[in-house]
Amino acid sequence: MSKALAAGSVVAVIGSGAMGSGIAQVAAASGYRVRLYDARAGQVDKAIADLGKVYGSLVEKGRMTGEAAAAARANLLPAASLDEVADAALVVEAIVEDLGAKRALFQSLEAIVGADTILATNTSSISVTAIGAPLQRPQRLVGMHFFNPVPLMALVEVVSGLATERAVADVVFDTALAWGKNPVHAKSTPGFIVNRVARPFYAEALRLLNEQAADPATLDAVLREGGGFRMGPFELMDLIGHDVNFSVTSSVHAAYFGDPRYTPSVIQQELVNAGFLGRKSGRGFYHYGPDAVRPVAATEPAAERPEWVSISIEPGLKQAVTDGLEARLRKAGFEVSHRKPLPHAGEREAPAFHTNGAAVFLTDGRSATERARANQHPDTVLFDLVGDWDKASRIAVARADQCSEKAYQAVVGMFQAAGFAVTRIDDVPGMAVMRTVAMLANEAADAVNQGVCSAAGVDIAMQKGVNYPRGPLAWAEAIGLAQVVGVLEHLAQTYGEDRYRVSPLLRRHLANGKRFHV
Ligand code: NAI
């Protein structure tokens, strides 16, 4: 049975800025009476007037009936002082991101609201435990972390501090459900779920850029058109703002006592130093404004289609990976011959594909150059992970330094014939999509291993909070945990950095063969 607060209950929203208004919009539209308060004079009236317009435009677009809009609008009530929220069953705070200000607000509220009123904070970066510490009854304080823009983003992280009572978190969870949201329980730890698990999406891209794997436009295109992410990491960082993104990374890094997993990038720091904050300042990785020319992704020119392609199934490599590509090659009219997964003379490992003398492997975290040497097969080309073999329009390849032009061109021609735009990135270990997804899965597994959230929770959070095409753990299972762990181990070997240490939970699931969640 749902523990949600009943419709018609009073929800107070303190702070009527971008987030508070969004929260009020959603709660009022779900039939809750919302009292809005803000310390700034005139802000509440402005917020309510703006929300009236928002409901009006939803009616125009046919997404809300006129009746529902009128009812929602009537549910928005201004509070001229904090005392006027005394009848609230739930208070949601969305004021400045400052520990002192939040503590002071909740201490004032304790003297105003009833004993059973639930206090919720929308903080995105402050410890819920710390906010609740000075309260008389910290067990009723919980995080209710919405994502921007609130009406469009389904995720709500319901964050429990050390003192938070489970029953309180459950009521907030079910109430978020009643508001049409997708809540997920989380433990109060730095970054909660999304702001922690998403770090590698930016950090690996920044490292790739730092190592000159490719330029931002090219890496963005590979992650978007190959990986299936809605936005590439550089365009997304430009949208978020480098000041905000750098500060989140730095605060998570500091909060984990300098764990190298979260080390910020000097590239980001320099952008902040320069004032190149992204879209909002007219320049970040890209230029904005009327005259700005968007750089295009590097794409290989048309190459000749090779005569034949042969496939073998690498041991440990999920068939899904080679099957997807094989289906596209067959559709392109290739006679695909299977051969035993035995290496050619001189090679130690069987490649996924062979074409015109080139051995083509899915990246396993080593460079193509290293693999060419290990296999004594100079003509080695690697391909990057692709999110969805049916839909992907671009694939990244990396060429061993020893590889001949003829063999490389055969591989380019093969992928082009299969309908991919082919992007060559420099021969960096783990390539782009694979390295990013492996690190996202690793971070997700650690969050689960440390009790921050459940496996289902982290996968929902990353899909609903940052629009990832798949949950990182389900994605890792689709690739094969052996492949993911192998990539991380090779990255750890290459860089010698603790950053790439493998989550114990990934190893455990690899060993026990169990699914993360069904
Ligand atoms: P905002 O600046 O748009 O709105 C904050 C509002 O709070 C302002 O209207 C301000 O006058 C009012 N305020 C400040 N101190 C107050 C006080 N002591 N009592 C009453 N009202 C006060 O900020 P925004 O973006 O709405 O963020 C608010 C909170 O939500 C922050 O804690 C932030 O970390 C959190 N958050 C923000 C997200 C975002 O993307 N902007 C995402 C998730 C959480």
Side-chain angles (χ1 to χ4, degrees), residues 333-373:
F334 278 107
E335 293 250 338
V336 182
S337 68
H338 278 259
R339 63 185 182 84
K340 280 189 193 148
L342 287 174
H344 277 185
E347 287 173 29
R348 285 166 221 269
E349 347 165 41
F353 296 88
H354 244 272
T355 184
N356 288 20
V360 192
F361 299 88
L362 175 67
T363 175
D364 71 353
R366 287 174 294 167
S367 67
T369 302
E370 203 181 332
R371 275 176 100 161
R373 181 156 188 271

Coordinates of all heavy atoms in Angstrom, one line a residue, residues 333-373:
G333 N 25.4 -7.0 -47.7 CA 25.7 -7.9 -48.8 C 27.0 -8.7 -48.7 O 27.4 -9.3 -49.7
F334 N 27.7 -8.6 -47.6 CA 28.9 -9.4 -47.4 C 28.6 -10.9 -47.2 O 27.7 -11.2 -46.6 CB 29.7 -8.9 -46.2 CG 30.5 -7.7 -46.4 CD1 30.1 -6.4 -45.9 CD2 31.7 -7.7 -47.2 CE1 30.8 -5.3 -46.1 CE2 32.4 -6.5 -47.4 CZ 32.0 -5.3 -46.9
E335 N 29.4 -11.7 -47.9 CA 29.4 -13.1 -47.6 C 30.3 -13.2 -46.3 O 31.5 -13.1 -46.3 CB 30.1 -13.9 -48.7 CG 29.4 -13.9 -50.0 CD 28.8 -15.2 -50.3 OE1 29.3 -16.2 -49.7 OE2 27.8 -15.3 -51.1
V336 N 29.6 -13.5 -45.2 CA 30.4 -13.5 -44.0 C 30.6 -15.0 -43.6 O 29.7 -15.8 -43.4 CB 29.6 -12.9 -42.8 CG1 30.4 -12.9 -41.5 CG2 29.3 -11.4 -43.1
S337 N 31.9 -15.4 -43.7 CA 32.2 -16.8 -43.4 C 32.7 -16.9 -41.9 O 33.5 -16.0 -41.4 CB 33.3 -17.2 -44.3 OG 34.5 -16.6 -44.0
H338 N 32.2 -17.8 -41.2 CA 32.7 -18.1 -39.9 C 33.9 -19.0 -39.9 O 34.0 -19.8 -40.7 CB 31.6 -18.8 -39.0 CG 30.6 -17.8 -38.5 ND1 30.6 -17.3 -37.2 CD2 29.5 -17.2 -39.1 CE1 29.6 -16.5 -37.1 NE2 28.9 -16.4 -38.2
R339 N 34.8 -18.7 -39.0 CA 35.9 -19.6 -38.9 C 36.1 -20.0 -37.5 O 35.6 -19.2 -36.6 CB 37.1 -19.1 -39.6 CG 37.7 -17.8 -39.0 CD 38.8 -17.3 -39.8 NE 39.4 -16.1 -39.1 CZ 40.3 -16.2 -38.2 NH1 40.7 -17.3 -37.7 NH2 40.8 -15.1 -37.7
K340 N 36.9 -21.0 -37.3 CA 37.1 -21.4 -35.9 C 37.8 -20.3 -35.2 O 38.6 -19.6 -35.8 CB 38.0 -22.7 -35.9 CG 37.2 -23.9 -36.2 CD 38.1 -25.1 -35.9 CE 37.4 -26.3 -36.5 NZ 38.3 -27.3 -37.0
P341 N 37.5 -20.1 -33.9 CA 38.2 -19.1 -33.1 C 39.6 -19.3 -32.9 O 40.1 -19.2 -31.8 CB 37.3 -19.0 -31.9 CG 36.8 -20.3 -31.7 CD 36.6 -20.9 -33.0
L342 N 40.3 -19.8 -33.9 CA 41.8 -20.0 -33.7 C 42.6 -18.9 -34.4 O 42.2 -18.4 -35.5 CB 42.2 -21.3 -34.4 CG 41.7 -22.6 -33.7 CD1 42.0 -23.8 -34.5 CD2 42.4 -22.7 -32.3
P343 N 43.6 -18.4 -33.8 CA 44.4 -17.4 -34.4 C 45.1 -17.9 -35.6 O 45.3 -19.1 -35.8 CB 45.4 -17.0 -33.3 CG 45.2 -18.0 -32.2 CD 44.1 -18.9 -32.5
H344 N 45.4 -17.0 -36.5 CA 46.2 -17.3 -37.7 C 47.6 -17.6 -37.2 O 48.0 -17.2 -36.1 CB 46.3 -16.1 -38.6 CG 45.1 -16.1 -39.5 ND1 45.0 -15.2 -40.5 CD2 44.0 -16.8 -39.6 CE1 43.9 -15.4 -41.2 NE2 43.2 -16.3 -40.6
A345 N 48.4 -18.2 -38.1 CA 49.8 -18.4 -37.7 C 50.5 -17.1 -37.3 O 50.3 -16.1 -37.9 CB 50.6 -19.0 -38.9
G346 N 51.2 -17.2 -36.2 CA 51.9 -16.0 -35.7 C 51.1 -15.2 -34.7 O 51.6 -14.4 -34.0
E347 N 49.7 -15.4 -34.7 CA 48.9 -14.6 -33.8 C 48.6 -15.4 -32.5 O 48.5 -16.7 -32.6 CB 47.5 -14.3 -34.4 CG 47.6 -13.3 -35.5 CD 46.3 -13.1 -36.2 OE1 45.2 -13.4 -35.6 OE2 46.3 -12.8 -37.4
R348 N 48.4 -14.8 -31.4 CA 48.1 -15.5 -30.2 C 46.6 -15.4 -29.9 O 46.0 -16.3 -29.3 CB 48.8 -14.8 -29.0 CG 50.3 -15.2 -29.0 CD 51.0 -14.3 -28.1 NE 52.3 -14.0 -28.7 CZ 53.4 -14.7 -28.5 NH1 53.4 -15.7 -27.8 NH2 54.5 -14.3 -29.1
E349 N 45.9 -14.3 -30.4 CA 44.5 -14.3 -30.1 C 43.7 -14.2 -31.4 O 44.2 -13.7 -32.4 CB 44.1 -13.0 -29.3 CG 45.1 -12.3 -28.7 CD 44.6 -10.9 -28.3 OE1 43.5 -10.8 -27.8 OE2 45.3 -9.9 -28.4
A350 N 42.5 -14.7 -31.4 CA 41.7 -14.7 -32.6 C 40.9 -13.3 -32.6 O 40.3 -12.9 -31.6 CB 40.6 -15.8 -32.6
P351 N 41.0 -12.6 -33.7 CA 40.3 -11.3 -33.8 C 38.8 -11.6 -34.0 O 38.4 -12.7 -34.4 CB 40.9 -10.6 -35.0 CG 41.4 -11.8 -35.9 CD 41.8 -12.9 -34.9
A352 N 38.0 -10.6 -33.8 CA 36.6 -10.7 -34.0 C 36.3 -10.8 -35.5 O 35.5 -11.6 -36.0 CB 35.8 -9.5 -33.5
F353 N 37.1 -10.1 -36.3 CA 36.9 -10.0 -37.8 C 38.3 -10.1 -38.4 O 39.3 -9.6 -37.9 CB 36.2 -8.8 -38.2 CG 34.8 -8.7 -37.7 CD1 34.6 -8.1 -36.4 CD2 33.7 -9.2 -38.4 CE1 33.3 -8.1 -35.9 CE2 32.5 -9.1 -37.9 CZ 32.2 -8.6 -36.7
H354 N 38.2 -10.6 -39.7 CA 39.4 -10.5 -40.5 C 39.0 -10.0 -41.8 O 37.9 -10.4 -42.4 CB 39.9 -12.0 -40.7 CG 41.3 -12.2 -40.1 ND1 42.4 -11.9 -40.8 CD2 41.7 -12.6 -38.9 CE1 43.4 -12.2 -40.1 NE2 43.0 -12.6 -38.9
T355 N 39.7 -9.1 -42.4 CA 39.3 -8.7 -43.8 C 40.6 -8.2 -44.5 O 41.3 -7.4 -44.0 CB 38.2 -7.6 -43.8 OG1 37.9 -7.3 -45.1 CG2 38.6 -6.3 -43.0
N356 N 40.8 -8.8 -45.7 CA 41.9 -8.4 -46.5 C 43.2 -8.3 -45.7 O 44.0 -7.3 -45.8 CB 41.7 -7.1 -47.2 CG 40.7 -7.2 -48.3 OD1 39.9 -8.2 -48.4 ND2 40.7 -6.3 -49.3
G357 N 43.4 -9.3 -44.8 CA 44.7 -9.3 -44.1 C 44.7 -8.5 -42.8 O 45.6 -8.6 -42.0
A358 N 43.7 -7.7 -42.6 CA 43.6 -6.9 -41.3 C 42.9 -7.7 -40.3 O 41.9 -8.3 -40.5 CB 42.9 -5.6 -41.6
A359 N 43.5 -7.7 -39.1 CA 42.8 -8.3 -37.9 C 42.1 -7.2 -37.2 O 42.7 -6.2 -36.9 CB 43.9 -9.0 -37.0
V360 N 40.8 -7.4 -36.9 CA 40.0 -6.4 -36.4 C 39.4 -6.9 -35.0 O 38.7 -7.9 -35.0 CB 38.8 -6.0 -37.3 CG1 38.1 -4.8 -36.9 CG2 39.3 -5.9 -38.8
F361 N 39.8 -6.2 -34.0 CA 39.3 -6.6 -32.6 C 38.5 -5.5 -32.0 O 38.7 -4.3 -32.2 CB 40.5 -6.7 -31.7 CG 41.6 -7.7 -32.1 CD1 42.6 -7.4 -32.9 CD2 41.5 -9.0 -31.5 CE1 43.6 -8.3 -33.2 CE2 42.5 -9.9 -31.8 CZ 43.5 -9.6 -32.7
L362 N 37.6 -5.9 -31.1 CA 36.9 -5.0 -30.2 C 37.9 -4.6 -29.2 O 38.7 -5.4 -28.7 CB 35.7 -5.7 -29.6 CG 35.0 -4.8 -28.5 CD1 34.3 -3.6 -29.1 CD2 33.9 -5.7 -27.7
T363 N 38.0 -3.3 -28.8 CA 39.0 -2.9 -27.8 C 38.8 -3.6 -26.5 O 37.7 -3.8 -26.0 CB 38.9 -1.3 -27.6 OG1 39.8 -1.0 -26.5 CG2 37.5 -0.9 -27.2
D364 N 39.9 -4.0 -26.0 CA 39.9 -4.7 -24.6 C 40.7 -3.9 -23.6 O 41.0 -4.4 -22.6 CB 40.4 -6.1 -24.7 CG 41.9 -6.2 -24.9 OD1 42.6 -5.1 -25.1 OD2 42.5 -7.3 -24.9
G365 N 40.9 -2.6 -23.9 CA 41.6 -1.8 -23.0 C 43.1 -1.6 -23.3 O 43.8 -0.8 -22.7
R366 N 43.6 -2.4 -24.2 CA 45.0 -2.2 -24.7 C 44.9 -1.4 -26.0 O 43.9 -1.4 -26.7 CB 45.7 -3.6 -24.9 CG 46.0 -4.3 -23.7 CD 46.6 -5.7 -24.0 NE 45.6 -6.5 -24.7 CZ 45.8 -7.7 -25.3 NH1 47.0 -8.1 -25.4 NH2 44.8 -8.4 -25.8
S367 N 46.0 -0.8 -26.3 CA 46.1 -0.1 -27.6 C 46.2 -1.1 -28.7 O 46.6 -2.3 -28.5 CB 47.3 0.9 -27.6 OG 48.5 0.1 -27.6
A368 N 45.9 -0.6 -29.9 CA 46.1 -1.5 -31.1 C 47.5 -1.8 -31.3 O 47.9 -2.9 -31.7 CB 45.5 -0.7 -32.3
T369 N 48.4 -0.8 -31.1 CA 49.8 -1.0 -31.2 C 50.4 -2.1 -30.3 O 51.1 -3.0 -30.8 CB 50.5 0.3 -30.9 OG1 50.0 1.3 -31.8 CG2 52.0 0.2 -31.1
E370 N 49.9 -2.1 -29.1 CA 50.3 -3.1 -28.1 C 49.8 -4.5 -28.6 O 50.5 -5.5 -28.5 CB 49.7 -2.8 -26.8 CG 50.4 -3.3 -25.6 CD 49.7 -2.9 -24.3 OE1 49.0 -1.8 -24.3 OE2 49.8 -3.7 -23.3
R371 N 48.6 -4.6 -29.1 CA 48.0 -5.9 -29.5 C 48.7 -6.4 -30.7 O 48.9 -7.6 -30.9 CB 46.5 -5.7 -29.7 CG 45.8 -5.9 -28.4 CD 44.3 -5.7 -28.6 NE 43.6 -6.9 -28.7 CZ 42.3 -7.1 -28.4 NH1 41.6 -6.0 -28.1 NH2 41.7 -8.2 -28.5
A372 N 49.0 -5.5 -31.6 CA 49.7 -5.9 -32.9 C 51.0 -6.5 -32.5 O 51.4 -7.6 -33.1 CB 50.0 -4.6 -33.7
R373 N 51.7 -6.0 -31.5 CA 53.0 -6.5 -31.1 C 52.8 -7.9 -30.4 O 53.5 -8.9 -30.7 CB 53.7 -5.6 -30.2 CG 55.1 -6.0 -29.8 CD 56.0 -4.9 -29.4 NE 57.3 -5.4 -29.1 CZ 57.7 -5.8 -27.9 NH1 56.9 -5.8 -26.9 NH2 58.9 -6.3 -27.8

